[in-house]
């Protein structure tokens, strides 16, 4: 988080090289994230093929979500959709995966399908601050989609569901004003 990605990479590599290390799988996951941040495609795909595709890393919801998110950041939407679509509804990463899938649909110009992903998220119960953040982002996304579709009342309705204590309050207010204009 301090930006010392190469130092972190070096330390994670030490862990990955120890096949008995209890945090080996997590170190692989973090290496993939670092290589995305460094825009180091060669290293990303080398670790991905060697560790994930080969099955050395045990599949988990966190690994699957992280790999999907990494592919999304790299612009490989096909692989991102494949991984993120595998996240179970009971998973703590489900709503985040659905949010990214919605973003991919927006990117592809499929606003109605994107809205379905975001609507699904807003129907889920909120249990953590992280859940609340994804909920608010989904409400913003729905407001933006309906604005784009010229459905201003629907857009305003979704903006209106963002609470006054949200970290996205300024975005909500600014964008909601445009629905009235």
């Amino acid at each position: 988080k301090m930006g010392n990605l190469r130092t972190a990479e070096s330390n994670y590599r030490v862990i990955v090289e120890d096949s008995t290390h209890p945090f080996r799988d997590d170190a692989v996951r973090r290496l993939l994230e670092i290589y995305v941040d460094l825009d180091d495609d060669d290293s990303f795909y080398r670790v991905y093929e060697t560790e994930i595709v080969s099955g050395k890393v045990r599949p988990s919801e966190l690994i699957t979500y992280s790999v999907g998110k990494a592919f999304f950041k790299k612009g490989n939407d096909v692989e991102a959709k494949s991984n993120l679509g595998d996240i179970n509804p009971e998973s703590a990463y489900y709503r985040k995966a659905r949010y990214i899938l919605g973003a991919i649909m927006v990117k592809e110009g499929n606003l109605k399908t994107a809205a379905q992903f975001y609507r699904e998220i807003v129907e889920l119960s909120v249990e953590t601050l992280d859940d609340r953040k994804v909920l608010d982002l989904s409400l913003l996304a729905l407001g933006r989609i309906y604005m784009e579709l010229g459905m201003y009342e629907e857009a305003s309705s979704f903006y209106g569901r963002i609470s006054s204590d949200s970290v996205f309050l300024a975005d909500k207010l600014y964008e909601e004003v445009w629905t009235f204009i």
Side-chain angles (χ1 to χ4, degrees):
K1 292 187 177 194
M2 294 173 56
N4 298 322
L5 297 179
R6 290 294 181 194
T7 302
E9 173 197 16
S10 176
N11 288 315
Y12 285 126
R13 284 186 142 313
V14 169
I15 294 170
V16 169
E17 289 170 7
D18 179 357
S19 62
T20 63
H21 197 286
F23 298 113
R24 184 179 186 284
D25 290 357
D26 198 49
V28 168
R29 179 184 67 81
R30 288 295 295 132
L31 271 177
L32 291 171
E33 292 172 349
I34 287 169
Y35 291 140
V36 169
D37 291 343
L38 292 171
D39 201 23
D40 186 346
D41 287 349
D42 292 337
S43 296
F44 175 87
Y45 283 106
R46 184 176 56 254
V47 171
Y48 176 71
E49 294 290 331
T50 304
E51 301 294 334
I52 304 294
V53 175
S54 73
K56 288 182 182 177
V57 171
R58 293 181 311 274
S60 70
E61 296 291 333
L62 176 57
I63 296 289
T64 304
Y65 168 74
S66 295
V67 168
K69 182 179 174 184
F71 277 120
F72 172 69
K73 285 181 163 182
K74 294 182 69 40
N76 186 336
D77 294 341
V78 172
E79 287 292 331
K81 287 191 281 190
S82 174
N83 282 278
L84 296 169
D86 287 343
I87 304 293
N88 289 319
E90 297 81 31
S91 170
Y93 303 98
Y94 183 73
R95 73 184 71 233
K96 290 179 179 181
R98 303 312 269 182
Y99 182 83
I100 295 172
L101 287 168
I104 292 169
M105 293 298 108
V106 168
K107 183 177 165 185
E108 293 176 352
N110 193 342
L111 298 182
K112 290 184 180 180
T113 302
Q116 290 172 342
F117 281 111
Y118 296 130
R119 282 179 174 273
E120 182 181 352
I121 294 167
V122 301
E123 298 304 320
L124 297 173
S125 63
V126 175
E127 298 175 19
T128 67
L129 290 174
D130 208 31
D131 291 348
R132 178 54 188 257
K133 181 179 176 183
V134 178
L135 168 66
D136 288 349
L137 286 168
S138 297
L139 290 168
L140 279 174
L142 284 163
R144 292 168 181 161
I145 287 170
Y146 287 108
M147 275 286 290
E148 182 70 24
L149 295 173
M151 301 170 74
Y152 305 114
E153 287 182 35
E154 289 86 347
S156 181
S157 170
F158 286 110
Y159 288 129
R161 291 176 61 183
I162 299 170
S163 69
S164 61
D165 65 345
S166 172
V167 297
F168 303 105
L169 179 62
D171 299 293
K172 165 204 167 163
L173 294 173
Y174 177 80
E175 293 176 28
E176 190 171 26
V177 165
W178 279 104
T179 65
F180 298 123
I181 292 173

